[in-house]
């Protein structure tokens, strides 16, 4: 992506000291700073998350450029999902979670009083690790969001009053399914129950469902981890295409996948720290942190 | 089938000492003998009972593993047998009554209606209608409130309020029904009699509302169980496209748990139908049909449960047989509800896999 | 996908709309509570407040609510306040307001205007359809406020003008009840406050999806609040009315001694006396009727309940626990397990009175033909049985397989594994379940009426332990106390309802007070068991978490 410009000042400013891991390596501020030209789509500042006494994310700051794919990688349990859930406040569902810090989406702080969660989640969509379509028809799955928001009105009442948006719905469903690269496969069975689709199809349906509310940012938590290689390849292609219109943040623990699909990569390591963040090529080819290098070359993690 | 059982038995025999098996057989036999003697009202019942106890102790000391397995099996059979015994004794005692009236006992509406005697006809219809009217009122009260309570506990309440509300509703289930009845008799009935100038103290309306309140906890806790089986992933999926919690409940959570929630309502209806004491002390015990049937404040009032409880203590002859017939009808109605609810729950469980 | 509308992500300052709707909801809450207070006759309906009649004040407040709601709705429609309403309030709101319109129109036409059936039906349908249309056709901010405001205004006007007031009464032809003003005014006020507060809750959240959520949650919270209110009232009434009776002639001091007649427990022990705080509660320790007691008490009932429960537990726990072990650990046949599950669930849902009939048919003839303690114990045991099976089975199944594997890996037999690994782990659940089950049967009355209940007011305590007699002819052992009818706490409460008065003379309270006292003691016993059960569940659960 060209709207992001990388600069690594080598001012050694030790930010925090890791207590985990073999090497007592100091995480340098510069490794995880990434200069975004223009407005970042998402700006995270000193984010800390605790689950009870468990400190799951430590002082994470991260600017995510728009219309690009940002990959979050790291060993399991390092807080990637936690970080992702902070961006659309799905963590509010977890009673034990305590969140401090600041997250700005499109320049607006989302951790402040008066934030409309419904509005936030319309702007920041999410696709989960395991496909979770509703036990409804394919069509209803896609149009679920717009219907519930009142943007598509196909209720009994509106049909009685002759105000219904059946055609708009038709168009929207087709468009979203096409964008999710699923339309050809399901065009003739839109009324079938979504649970009858294969895992990969279900996951693309979930992507279509998220696209239907026209989000700015799309969060994906290991969207291909439950899928077979062919379905995975389809999802990977799709992510590349989506980045033309959306800001995609994708969690994966598969490093080849991150290298293939992403523009930027952020590496979290055990303990909930963001250790390194930069252009994907640079992070994979010449990581600055020893621990990140070990992780990427498979020596640990 | 038979060969499989023989095979199983052979296997079982090969794994256990013969002496242990003989002992076990004798122990079980003494229990059967005890039951037979007890059934025949013999004075000798105590002998096989004592034999059973002694043999159990001996077996326990000598062959604990074999006896434990055998005895637990016998006890399981005994538990099932209890239900069989209940059905058998109810039907046997009610038989003469049904022989006299046939199925007309269920729908006869002409006088004389009560009480059963060998020479005059009688009818359970007033009580059946009474049970249905009170149960209907109870359902109208309990179903929406109960589902609201379940939604509150499983979806809306914060951790702390849940810790208050849930035990509170369990306590409601714990208060004995006669206590509800006492309050109903002393306070509610009197209030209604004075404020609404009803013709009798007690009527279907107050009884229905009271047993509805009493059925609430059943609905709340069973429906809450059902709602909490809906996978979090499904709810998250809905919330993540920006629907409100309420929309998520309406369009994802409740439809997914629909079968479980309806099972909860059915079980609650069954509770209300079988509720005895509160109704017995609040109802006027006059048999007849309200005219029109929705005149729930009227002077008539009797249900299947209340007539048994009120008259069963000192009824004899055809009268008590008629009450047994009422018991059979009640039992059948409640059993149908309970079995339906169980089938629904089983389907729900298999849909989401495992046992939660 | 340009169909998607967007609203502000972050709400601004609290707006006028929110202030007004919060005010309306507050007034609604006051009216709601005040109306219940009138219904419970805690507040007289003639109480003057601020110089006006209470009911006139209700009317004024309803009118104020109506004005507030209508104001918010109209202001939102005209764009004077910010909100995000949907295109229509929807069918649910439409049918709700249609229903209210139908009932209100029908009642006004038939009762106030005195129209005939055809007339009032026509008016009712017309008002119903009009209200539904008013709710459905305009945009949501108008559709969910104006009909509510009209309804509140109508009710308020009726109250203010005293058209519906203390003098009002209505006896419909086909229902044998008379509806009088002193009851109906609070009832319609409650209805008005609910409708108004619901509408205001929607307005407060700015209509739209959030508004509907706020409205629905308001009603749900109110239902839960109502349930807890019923519970509180119930317990409150019993404590308030029962305490005085229960403490009649009671003495509390520090310099006393504990006098326990050995015979109280049915054992032939010498009476013993310990230096102790001096506590005497005759209502708990006296028999229910005797020439020699001044305060009729509950001792026979309490001991009766104790013996019933003990007997039921001795019968049901071994049986039920054994069945649960077999089901969870031994049987491999799914069919058999399902059969037993259906049977236990069937037993669980069998009405208690049916257990009573069963006892009457099966047990009573075989225990001497009369009502007896033994029959009562067994019948309650039958009722406890499914509860023991279900809870034990669940807690045994909840024991993780690692326990079994770890033990089996050491070469221990299956039974040893069950005994030393599975059962100890399952015990907390079993104990909790049994306590809760006992709490349920301890309050059970219906079967006792048929198989156990003796004289309404017992004059002696059941002496089970001292009544065993051994004979040389069968049945070799007998116990008259076990074969006697008797009393139990719930049975005692029943008889105090059915008996017109207390036996004998000179009792310091009426039979109804006796009932309140009995209800209190019963409540303490049963809720005590429940509290112990729930507390033990919490205790074991916390222990599990902290390990
Ligand atoms: N709901 C939760 N409750 C308590 N702790 C949690 C919860 N979710 C995650 N955690 C903890 O937070 C840490 C980070 O988890 P997560 O964000 O899921 O990691 P990742 O997605 O990188 O595997 C882990 O230690 C995990 O145990
Ligand atoms: Mg994860």
């Amino acid at each position: 992506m060209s709207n992001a410009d990388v600069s690594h000042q080598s001012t050694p400013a030790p930010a925090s000291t890791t207590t985990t891991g073999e090497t007592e390596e100091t995480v340098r501020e510069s490794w995880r700073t990434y200069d975004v030209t223009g407005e970042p789509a998402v700006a995270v500042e000193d984010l800390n998350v605790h689950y009870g006494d468990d400190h799951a994310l430590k002082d994470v700051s991260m600017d995510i450029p728009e219309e690009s794919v940002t990959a979050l990688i790291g060993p399991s349990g390092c807080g990637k999902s936690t970080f992702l859930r902070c961006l659309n406040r799905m963590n509010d569902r977890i009673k034990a979670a305590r969140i401090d810090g600041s997250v700005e989406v499109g320049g607006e702080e989302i951790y402040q009083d008066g934030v409309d969660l419904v509005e936030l989640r319309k702007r920041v969509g999410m696709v989960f690790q395991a496909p979770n379509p509703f036990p409804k028809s394919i069509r209803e799955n896609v149009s679920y969001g717009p219907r519930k928001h009142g943007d598509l009105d196909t209720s009994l009442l509106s049909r009685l009053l002759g105000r219904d948006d059946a055609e708009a719905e038709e168009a929207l469903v087709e468009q979203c399914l096409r964008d999710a690269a699923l339309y050809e496969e399901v065009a003739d069975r839109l009324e079938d129950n979504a649970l009858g689709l294969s895992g990969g199809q279900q996951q693309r349906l979930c992507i279509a469902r998220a696209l239907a509310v026209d989000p700015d940012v799309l969060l994906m938590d290991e969207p291909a981890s439950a899928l077979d290689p062919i379905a995975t390849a389809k999802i990977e292609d799709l992510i590349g295409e989506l980045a033309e219109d959306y800001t995609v943040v994708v969690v994966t623990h598969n490093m080849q996948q991150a290298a293939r699909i992403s523009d930027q990569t952020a590496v979290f390591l055990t303990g909930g720290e963001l250790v390194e963040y930069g252009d994907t090529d640079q992070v994979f080819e010449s990581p600055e942190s020893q621990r990140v290098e070990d992780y990427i070359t498979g020596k640990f993690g | 089938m038979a060969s499989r059982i023989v095979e199983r038995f052979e296997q079982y025999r090969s794994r256990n000492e013969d002496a242990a098996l003989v002992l076990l057989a004798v122990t079980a036999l003494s229990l059967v003998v005890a039951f037979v003697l007890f059934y025949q009202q013999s004075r000798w019942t105590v002998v096989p009972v004592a034999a059973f106890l002694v043999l159990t102790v001996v077996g326990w000391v000598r062959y604990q593993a074999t006896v434990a397995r055998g005895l637990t099996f016998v006890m399981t059979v005994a538990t099932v047998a209890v239900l069989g015994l209940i059905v058998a004794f109810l039907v046997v005692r009610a038989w003469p009554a049904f022989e006299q009236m046939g199925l007309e006992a269920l729908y006869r509406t002409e006088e004389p209606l009560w009480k059963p005697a060998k020479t005059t006809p009688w009818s359970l219809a007033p009580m059946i209608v009474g049970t249905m009217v009170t149960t209907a009122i109870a359902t109208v009260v309990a179903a929406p409130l109960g589902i609201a309570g379940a939604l509150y506990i499983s979806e809306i309440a914060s951790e702390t309020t849940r810790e208050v509300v849930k035990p509170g509703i369990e306590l409601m289930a714990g208060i004995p029904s006669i206590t509800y009845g006492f309050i109903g008799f002393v306070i509610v009935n009197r209030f209604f009699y004075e404020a609404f100038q009803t013709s009798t103290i007690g009527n279907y309306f107050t009884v229905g509302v009271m047993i509805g309140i009493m059925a609430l906890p059943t609905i709340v806790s069973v429906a809450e169980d059902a709602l909490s089986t809906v996978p979090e992933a499904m709810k998250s999926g809905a919330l993540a496209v920006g629907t409100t919690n309420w929309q998520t409940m309406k369009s994802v959570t409740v439809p997914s748990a629909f079968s479980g929630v309806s099972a909860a309502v059915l079980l609650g209806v069954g509770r209300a139908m079988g509720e005895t004491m509160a109704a017995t002390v609040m109802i006027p015990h006059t048999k007849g049909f309200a005219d029109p049937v929705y005149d729930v404040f009227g002077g008539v009032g009797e249900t299947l449960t209340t007539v048994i409880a009120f008259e069963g203590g000192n009824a004899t002859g055809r009268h008590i047989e008629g009450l047994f017939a009422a018991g059979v009808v009640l039992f059948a109605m409640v059993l149908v509800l309970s079995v339906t609810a169980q089938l629904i729950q089983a389907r729900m469980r298999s849909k989401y896999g495992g046992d939660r | 996908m340009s169909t998607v509308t967007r609203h502000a992500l972050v709400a601004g300052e609290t707006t006028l709309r929110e202030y007004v709707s919060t005010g309306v909801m507050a007034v609604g809450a006051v009216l709601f509570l005040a109306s219940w207070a009138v219904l419970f006759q805690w507040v007289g309906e003639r109480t003057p407040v601020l110089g006006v009649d209470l009911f006139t004040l209700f009317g004024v407040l309803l009118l104020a609510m109506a004005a507030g709601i209508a104001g918010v709705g109209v202001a939102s429609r005209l764009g004077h306040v910010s909100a995000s309403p949907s295109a229509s309030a929807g069918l649910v709101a439409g049918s709700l307001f249609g229903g209210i319109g139908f009932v209100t129109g029908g009642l006004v036409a038939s009762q106030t205007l005195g129209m005939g059936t055809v007339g009032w039906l026509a008016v009712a349908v017309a008002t119903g359809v009009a209200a539904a249309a008013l709710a459905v056709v305009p945009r949501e901010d108008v559709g969910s406020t104006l009909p509510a405001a009209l309804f509140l205004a109508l009710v308020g006007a009726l109250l203010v003008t005293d058209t519906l007031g203390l003098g009002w009464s209505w006896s419909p032809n086909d229902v044998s009840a008379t509806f009088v003003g002193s009851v109906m005014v609070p009832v319609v006020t409650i209805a008005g406050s609910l409708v108004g507060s619901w509408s205001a809750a929607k307005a407060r959240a700015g209509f739209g999806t959030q508004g509907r959520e706020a409205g629905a949650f308001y009603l749900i919270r109110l239902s839960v609040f109502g349930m807890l209110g019923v519970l509180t009232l119930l317990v409150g009434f019993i404590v308030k009315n029962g305490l005085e009776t229960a403490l009649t002639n009671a003495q509390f001091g520090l310099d006393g001694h504990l006098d326990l007649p050995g015979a109280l427990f049915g054992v032939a022990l010498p009476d013993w006396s310990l230096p102790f705080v001096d506590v005497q509660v005759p209502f708990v320790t006296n028999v229910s009727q005797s020439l020699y007691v001044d305060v009729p008490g509950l001792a026979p009932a309490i001991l009766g309940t104790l013996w019933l429960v003990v007997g039921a537990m001795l019968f049901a726990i071994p049986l039920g626990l054994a069945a649960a072990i077999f089901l969870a650990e031994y049987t491999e046949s799914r069919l058999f397990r399902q059969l037993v599950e259906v049977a236990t669930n069937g037993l669980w849902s069998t009405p208690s009175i049916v257990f009573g009939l069963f006892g009457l048919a099966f047990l009573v003839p075989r225990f001497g033909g009369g009502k007896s303690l033994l029959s009562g114990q067994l019948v309650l045991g039958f009722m406890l049985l499914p509860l023991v099976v279900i809870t034990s089975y669940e807690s045994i199944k909840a024991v993780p397989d690692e326990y079994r594997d770890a033990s089996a890996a050491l070469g221990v037999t299956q039974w040893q594994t069950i005994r030393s690994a599975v059962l100890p782990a399952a015990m907390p659940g079993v104990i909790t379940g049994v306590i809760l089950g006992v709490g349920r049967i301890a309050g059970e009355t219906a079967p006792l009426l048929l198989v156990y209940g003796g004289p309404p007011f017992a004059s002696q305590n059941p002496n089970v332990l001292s009544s065993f007699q051994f004979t040389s002819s069968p049945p070799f052992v007998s116990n008259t106390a076990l074969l006697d009818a008797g009393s139990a706490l719930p049975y005692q409460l029943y008889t105090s309802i059915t008996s017109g008065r207390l036996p004998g003379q000179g009792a310091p309270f009426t039979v109804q007070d006796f009932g309140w006292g009995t209800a209190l003691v019963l409540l303490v016993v049963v809720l005590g068991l429940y509290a112990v059960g729930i507390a033990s569940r919490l205790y074991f659960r916390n222990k599990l978490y902290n390990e």
Side-chain angles (χ1 to χ4, degrees), chain B residues 222-240:
Chain B
V222 180
E224 196 239 309
D225 275 352
L227 289 174
S228 57
T229 57
V230 177
E232 171 66 27
M234 202 112 90
K235 301 177 200 166
S236 301
L239 291 170

Side-chain angles (χ1 to χ4, degrees), chain B residues 43-54:
Chain B
R43 305 163 67 82
W44 292 93
T45 308
V46 69
V47 175
V49 169
F52 170 77
L53 293 177
V54 170

Side-chain angles (χ1 to χ4, degrees), chain A residues 51 54 56 74-83 85 94 96 221-222 251:
Chain A
Y51 293 110
D54 183 7
S76 145
C78 67
K80 305 180 297 290
S81 300
T82 302
F83 177 78
R85 285 200 305 262
I94 300 170
D221 193 350
E222 308 196 17
V251 169

Side-chain angles (χ1 to χ4, degrees), chain C residues 291-305:
Chain C
L291 284 179
Y292 309 108
V293 300
D294 45 352
V295 181
L298 287 176
I302 294 174
L303 291 172
T305 289

